[in-house]
Structures are given as structure tokens and as C-alpha cells.
Amino acid sequence: MDTQNSLDGIRLENLTVNFDEKFTLCNIDWTIEPSQHWVITGTNGSGKSALAAILAGVGEITSGKIEGVPNNIGLVSFEAQAELIANELKKDDADIMDVISLGTPVHEMIFTDCLEPELATELVEKFGLTSLMDRAFRKLSTGETRKVMLIRALSNKPDLLLLDEPFDGLDADTLAMLQAHLASIIETTPMIMVLNRFDEMPDFITHIAYMDKQGDSAGQLKYTVNRQDDVAYNELYQLLHLKTTDLDVPEMDESEKPPALDPSQPLVKLTDINIKYSDTVIVDKLNWTIEPGKHWQLSGPNGCGKTGILSLITGDHPQCYVNDIFVFGFQRGNGESIWQIKQYIGYVSTSLQWEYRVSTSCRNVIISGFFDSIGMYSRPSDKQKKIADEWLALLGMTDRADQPFNKLSYGDQRLLLIARAMVKHPPLLILDEPCLGLDDMNRQLVLALIEKICAGSETTVLYVNHHAEDKIKGIENYLAMTKNNE
Amino acid sequence: MANYFNTLPLREQLEQLGKCRFMDSSEFADGVEALKGKKMVVIGCGAQGLNQGLNLRDSGLDVSYALREAAIAEKRQSWKNATENGFVVGTYEDLIPTADVVLNLTPDKQHTPVVKAVMPLMKEGACLSYSHGFNIVEEGMQIREDLTVIMVAPKCPGSEVRAEYVRGFGVPTLIAVHEDNDPKGEGLALAKAYAVGTGGHKAGVLMSSFIAEVKSDLMGEQTILCGMLQTGSILCFDKMVEEGIDAGYASKLIQYGWETVTEALKYGGVTNMLDRLSNPAKIKAFDLSEELKVIMRPLYNKHQDDIINGTFSRVMMEDWANDDKNLLGWRAETAETNFEKTPAGDVEISEQEFFDNGILMVAMVKAGVELAFETMTAAGIIAESAYYESLHETPLIANTIARKKLYEMNATISDTAEYGCYLYNHACLPLLGDFMKDIKTDVIGKGLDLEDAGVDNARLIEVNEALRSHPVEAIGGVLRGHMADMKKIV
């Protein structure tokens, strides 16, 4: 067998592959250099296994090209396992022949056509299969068949190992043994693994491929990250964490709860709103009502007054006192303080991030949401600290609780500010261009978090952006503003 | 009008000078209640006027602005400030008669004409509020007997007053009641509610007297705060250039150096500022400051004496009457100094380098803070007041120099501070002439050139002990402790 090929690396160029007409992987660009070991990870249903399977020749290529795939691939996956079992069941011709067939015994499964029988023998012992060698393959448990497949793949001098969730269902000792064995062959055998969990990733993995869904029946290779790149690696970790864990919004601090709102009243009612600077009218006679539970998206070009409208609601705009504004039960300008208004609002914007310059810990940034302050000026209760830590866990940032906020990446800062806004479960969450200035991966992170908030809590979301592509599931009301003079 | 302070018997003068107490946050439990529903009319819409008004309104209080007819008719900046922010604006005649509280937030110089115009219009039993007591104490303004007179003085520029409020905090604030004008005994309640309305209660409030505020404020601003930093900037810059240091570097070292070294002062007092130096540099700075204190002590005494006996305010008011001839002349001179005319160079200076190469600047700050504090307390001003008007405010002025150098620093501070600053500067420059002759780049510009950083143990212990046992450090430790309880928990 010509093994030279595999050393040149594998290239997938703009590759689109159909699987049973039910699922498509689109426009895959991926290069695997000979010395690299990859993990494929991503969201559920994004085609992680399918991507690995392409290399094993599965699927129908509709466009693009794939080259450099070696011939001798060791493949371990649930699909391959299922197929083997199905083949074994077909051999069971009991119905026709009226004899009882046990199917292929395990030793045959392992040693027929085996290129490294010594290794196979050693592995059989290590995996604890010695006593099962005469058993029929199809009579094995799922974990046992998985072990047989692993031994077959490993003892066949593969030029590439494709391991789809190889650690699933293995006990701790076996897992450690397998990991050690894989680590011992990295010099000779390139590996690609599909893993759902980052914490199972062996140390020798050099690169990560991240898959995401595109609609219900397609997947895409979104990011490839070099593991040496700490920043990208961390972002990917958080993204996967947010995309694959259920959002359990930490509870609120009942003792700090503001007076309850009358559910029959709108959260916000703006009537004939005007905003003007000197003689320039920015907003002219705008009417807008936000009812509880109705999420809104507000869009419009720069300078149309989006932020002005928001700051009328939050009480940050001085002209809120000369407009007809009803918010959270207060008709503005009747002796209420802005802190009475702000206690009902969670707010995130780029300018908030600019203003959040105080050197304080990540935990305190989240806690400051209870006080609507930038920085901490009150002693937090133990309860508040606990809630903040739950939010940090939700964001996958537990290890950064005590780090200074201003040392975090821009995207992580934004995530923390969203948590800060959400920590008190505000009746209204205002997200003013929450993705502005973020790279694509961070944008995915932020949108994933917002989507979960929209779906899973009593908070009404007001989402402001001018990127149409950042649409959020669950938002059904749209207000498009235009420039006043256009 | 006669100088009010000078009309008091010594016993009362001392009593008033000695008033200053850091208030407990529990004293503000009533919030803004005492002002709820009352009509507050602000006179003056500059930085303090506008920003205090914005805070008070956001705290749920009823705020409007009274401007002179001309300012309204000509749509001057004050009119624009008030109307664009959605405030009701009217003439004195329109608004003052309806006011429960009149907030006089005009510059000191305008107080007499403003108060004279406003007083007859004020309704029976209303309250007149100041943010600085100069008019009452130095000019001896007599206020109608039925009116309550209070002072609420945020110890920061107006822009900070607003910025800190918006963050959910506030700035340290001094309040006082003019005891001669508290007919209903409600002065303190009103002042406290006002301090809450501006957010000051979150950062710490000092209960003081009009007299203590004026006499300590004047002393601090003209000596250590503005005067020492101005004189130090000019001397240090000229020396560095004379010794061949790049002018751009020298300019930057000074412009940002004051801010950097006084940041250390803010966090941990004079001790911490000197602890940032290496041991040999610390001993050097200490020795220089001791020398400076001996040379400058008579000047600090003179400033304090002139302030206490009213000479300073009399001379300054003569200049007011003379169309600010001295003030404007000195202002123009400042613009012409070499430091002012040399922009900061495009060089990197690390935070530590500002200390290492600015030993003389550290020594000047130490000498100025300690002298101002010692002189004030010797004059009967209580340590709390003296601390706030010397050490506490030095970083604030240093910030303004970092932002815009001396000319703008002088434009930002009050006319009174500016006038005093020039007085000090003119006396101090020649006073330090001989001292500066012996100064070389090892203490300003380049840092000590040492083979090793060894020092004598006994000498180091002596210096550390002297630093730590100064009375400004004792009171500073207590007050910074109070503040830290209320301030940022980082």
C-alpha cells in the first residue's frame, strides 16, 4: 500500500456533500497537515460525524474537491458500529435455514486480515476482552463492540485514525489506557476525533474544527482553531459551552426585588416623542408601546435616534423630562428618581463598555448589576456573590471570577455585561448593538446567549441593531426608524 | 460689607474653624425627603450649576434655572445649557419668588451682585444655598433674617459631579449651615437632602462650617494644590532643559508626572508615594523635601495669615474692582512659560519611570502637602478639613494639568484659586532660586545613577518612621478608611 500520500496532507476545497438527501455539509474548506491531530466539535446536529465520515468515503460529493485522503483509514464510530452489527444480523439466516447461527466470533473479527496481531493481542488483554474471544460479536454489549472496533482500527497500521466519540461509555481505567495508547502513536498516526466535550480532549490534539448548523438539514465548518492560540481556544470553549448546555438562568435575589409591576400596563409607552439638539430635530412625534413579553427589534441607520430613544427609556437622556414618557408605572417628571426607573432595566451597549473603565473583578462587574452602578460601591451579600458565580459558570468563565475586568478580551467583557444586565431578571432588557465591534465567533457567543434569554425567562427583550443578519429567534416585533429628514 | 470672620470674637472664630466631622451614612437615611416637592431654582448654568441640577432632577427633585434677562434674550451658553437639557428657564423675576430653595452656583466674583438681586425676590422663609462660602465669610454678605443659608460643596469639578452620579456613585461633599441664618432649624436637613440629591452621600460627607470651608479651601488651593504644582512645573522644566534633557521628554515627565505620583498619594498618602521610590531615591526625596519645607515655611505661613486676617480677600477684591488687571496679566504670563509652550514629546514613559526620574517632584508634593496641612492645623483648622483641602484634592488638580497643562488648569479652577495660585507662584519662584542651583538631573529627568541600591539601615528606618508618623498620615489613614467603606470595593 502506498502510504506516501497521507504525508502530503488532506485538502477539502469548497466541498459540498449530501448524505441520503436528508443532510448536507456545505462549502467545507479544510486542510489537515501531516503532523496535525484534530478534534471536530460543534453544536448538536451540525454534522460533526458527517465531516469525519466524508474522509472515510461516505456521502455524495456534489461540488468542490477532496484530495490526499489515505487508503488505510481506521474508523471507529457509532455509524460504523451499527453497520457492522447490521451486517452480522444479515448473516443470521436463521429464518431461512432453520439453524441457529451465532455469527462471527470476536477473535475472527479482530484477527482476520490483522496487520499487527501482536499489538491486537496486547490490546485485547488491556481492554479486558480475553474471556470474550469466542463469543459472537453481535452478542456483545455496546461498550464491548466499541472496544472490538477500537482494537481493529488500532492494530491495522492505519494511515489516519478517525475516532468518532471514542471515549463514550468507557470506564475510567479503560479511558486512561486508551488515551495513553493514542498518545504513544501520535508520531506515526495522524488522528481526527469527534468530541462533544472539550474536557475529554487529549493533550496531543493540535487543532480544533468547530461545526455549526445551517438550518435544520445542513451543517458547516465554522471555525478552525490552532490550540496554541489561547484567545481563540477560550472563545471556542465558551461558544461550545453556551451552545451545548441548557441555559439554567440563575435565580434572582428576591430580597432586592423592586416593587412589582402591574401586568396589565405596558412596560413602556412613548407618546409623540420629540428629540432635538439646537434646532435639529432628530426624532419627530414617535409613538411606541412595549407590552410585557413582546420582544422587539429596533433598527435604523446611524443617527436616526435609536440610542436617543433608548436613553429616554432608561432615563439617561435629559429630554426625558420634556416628553410624554410612561415607564414601569411612572409618568416621567413627577418626582421619581432615575434609580427607580433603572431597577427595572438591564442595559448593554458599546458605550457602557467604554464607560466601564473601573478596575474591578469580573465577579463584581456582574454583582454591580444589582445596584445599576458602574463599579461597586456597596458591599454585596453572600447571596449576590453566589448568583454572580452561577452566571460566571453559565458563561464558562468560572476560572476568571477574580480577574480584573479590564484585562479580559473585548468579547468576554461584553458577555459579562450581558450577565450584569440579566442578574436581577429585569422586566426589560435593552441590548443596544450588543454585537458591535465583536469578531464573528464572539458575535455567535453573544447571540447564543441572547437567544437563550429570549426563550427562557420573564424578561422582555429590546434588541437594537443595524445588522439584519443578527436576527434573533423569538423576536417578532420590529420597529424600523429612518432619519427624520429622509 | 465687613469681613464676617473678623467681626467674630476669637472664641467663636476658633470654634468655627475647628468644625469638621465625617458623617455616618446612617445620617442620610431620609434621602431627599426634605426637598421632595420643593421648588429648587438654580442661578448660574456653568459646570457646577448644570451638573448639580441634572443630578438633583434625576434624584426626583424639581429643578429649574433662573438666568438674567440678557442671557435669555441673547441665548447665551448658560441658556443653551439649561434649555437643551430640558429644564424650565426663566428670569429672576419669574422664578425666584416661587422658589423654596435658591442655589447660587455662580462664580465667587458674581456672588454679591447676584445675591443682592435675588434676595428681595425670595419668598419668606426660603433657603439660599451656596457651594462656596467666600461671599458670606470674606465679603460679609448679610442675608435676610427669615432665610435659611446652607452650603453644599461637592469637592470635585462639575463634570465629575455628574459622571460619578451617573455611575451610581458620587463625589465627596462638604456641607455647612450658616448658624446666623437658620431661623427654622431646618438648614441641616435641607443640606443633607441636597447632598443626597447630588449623590454626595455615597462618597462621604463632611459636616463643616462656612468659615472652616473658606479658610481651608483658600489655603489649600493657593499653596499645595495649584501654586506648588505650577511653580514646580516651571522650575523642573527649566532645570531639565538647562541640563540638556530633551524638551519634549521634560514636558511629558511633568505634565503626566504630577498625576502619576499623586495617584499613589491618593491611595496611600505621602508614605505610599515615597514607598514607590527605591530606598536611595526615597531618602533623597525625603532630604530634598525637608530642605524645601524649611525654605517655604514662611511663605505658607504668610498665605495662611493673609487668609485668616482677610488681607488676601481684600487685595483680590481690589483687583476685581480694577477689572482683574493682575489676574489677566498673570494668566497671560503663564501662557508664555516654556513649559506651557512645549508640547509633551512622543516618548514612552512607564508608570514607575515617573517616580524614578521625578524624585524632585515627589519631594515638592510631599513638602507642599505637609506644609499646607501643618500651617492649616496650626491656624486652628481641624485636621479633617486640612486633610481634604491639601492631600485629598492634590490628585484632582494634577489630573487637570495632565489633561491641559497650566493655562487650562488655571482656567478650570475658580477665579479665587487662580488668583491665589499666581500670588504663590510669584513669591515661590525666587524663593527657590538658590535651592534649584544645586539641583541636577539625578533628581529630575534621569534618576539616581547608582552602582548599587544599598542604604544605611538606621537612616532608612529613621526616614520611614518620619514619613509614617506625620499627622497628615494619621488622619489620612482614618479618612481613607471611612471612604474605602463607602467607595469602590475593588
Side-chain angles (χ1 to χ4, degrees), chain A residues 414-460:
Chain A
R414 189 67 56 84
L415 285 175
L416 271 185
L417 290 178
I418 294 176
R420 169 187 177 271
M422 275 304 295
V423 76
K424 59 184 177 180
H425 293 211
L428 183 63
L429 175 64
I430 300 179
L431 301 160
D432 186 0
E433 306 255 17
C435 296
L436 197 70
L438 300 184
D439 63 24
D440 190 51
M441 203 188 299
N442 278 303
R443 226 173 66 201
Q444 295 298 323
L445 265 174
V446 167
L447 291 176
L449 181 59
I450 296 171
E451 229 165 69
K452 298 211 154 182
I453 290 168
C454 277
S457 68
E458 67 273 43
T459 293
T460 302

Side-chain angles (χ1 to χ4, degrees), chain A residues 277-278 315-316 318-319 321-322 332 335-340 355 357-360 364 372-374 376-380, chain B residues 36 54 57-61 80 83-87 162 164-169 202 267 484-490:
Chain A
Y277 304 109
S278 295
D316 291 321
Q319 291 178 25
Y321 293 95
V322 290
R332 290 306 316 268
E336 74 294 338
S337 85
I338 52 167
W339 308 110
Q340 285 174 290
E355 284 157 26
R357 280 167 297 142
V358 292
S359 63
T360 190
N364 275 344
D372 304 309
S373 61
I374 293 182
M376 278 291 291
Y377 312 106
S378 313
R379 290 220 179 274
Chain B
K36 267 271 175 191
L54 286 168
R57 181 174 65 176
D58 279 344
S59 295
L61 300 174
K80 277 191 197 153
T83 47
E84 285 206 350
N85 284 291
F87 286 106
R162 180 61 181 164
E164 290 295 325
Y165 180 88
V166 170
R167 296 159 66 132
F169 195 47
K202 292 184 181 169
Y267 279 99
D485 281 346
M486 323 186 88
K487 228 185 158 173
K488 296 163 195 172
I489 297 165
V490 287

